[in-house]
Amino acid sequence: MPAGEYLSAADRASLDLTIRKAEQLCRAEFSVFVGQSQGDSRTFAVGLHRSLVAPDRSILVMVDPTAHAVEVVTGAAVRRSLDDARAELAVATMVASFRDGDLVGGLRRGIQQLAEHARPQNTLHAG
């Protein structure tokens, strides 16, 4: 997904590494869009999420720095372990960093937090 003019090549490389580690941890696919949303930010983010290769197993993070909008959209399989409340915590983490002028750090921390919460929980079955 495009990162727009907001991220340098080094920033994108850092985010790519964070995304790879997050995907290994939770087995969901992450996509990040940083740029101007068109119209309502939630509707735009949902549309981006639907266009992904595997939306059911995907987490989309959309940040529009100009509109001060952050959206997280999750697929049905991901929602089994990542509920809205935990996604909102990750958004709060990102927004706090963004307010401090740290776009990349906020994205990295938010993605890591989403991956932790999206990780399938091991359950023990008594026989």
Side-chain angles (χ1 to χ4, degrees):
M1 292 251 128
E5 69 277 5
Y6 299 98
L7 302 174
S8 68
D11 293 339
R12 287 191 294 277
S14 174
L15 278 176
D16 285 344
L17 180 60
T18 299
I19 289 169
R20 277 195 303 273
K21 288 179 180 179
E23 289 175 340
Q24 290 172 349
L25 177 66
C26 70
R27 301 294 180 211
E29 295 183 27
F30 279 82
S31 293
V32 176
F33 177 92
V34 178
Q36 188 172 359
S37 59
Q38 299 168 359
D40 175 69
S41 62
R42 183 69 185 171
T43 302
F44 181 74
V46 168
L48 288 175
H49 185 264
R50 284 189 190 132
S51 73
L52 297 174
V53 173
D56 190 49
R57 296 186 338 259
S58 296
I59 300 169
L60 172 86
V61 178
M62 192 280 305
V63 178
D64 182 338
T66 306
H68 302 285
V70 180
E71 300 287 346
V72 173
V73 183
T74 57
V78 176
R79 280 192 296 275
R80 291 183 199 129
S81 53
L82 177 63
D83 61 22
D84 288 345
R86 290 179 183 206
E88 289 171 14
L89 288 172
V91 168
T93 296
M94 288 186 270
V95 168
S97 291
F98 299 163
R99 284 189 184 131
D100 291 337
D102 188 4
L103 177 63
V104 175
L107 284 167
R108 292 185 70 215
R109 282 186 285 284
I111 290 166
Q112 290 164 347
Q113 195 171 1
L114 289 166
E116 272 295 323
H117 292 303
R119 183 173 53 173
Q121 301 300 313
N122 292 333
T123 57
L124 299 176
H125 297 280

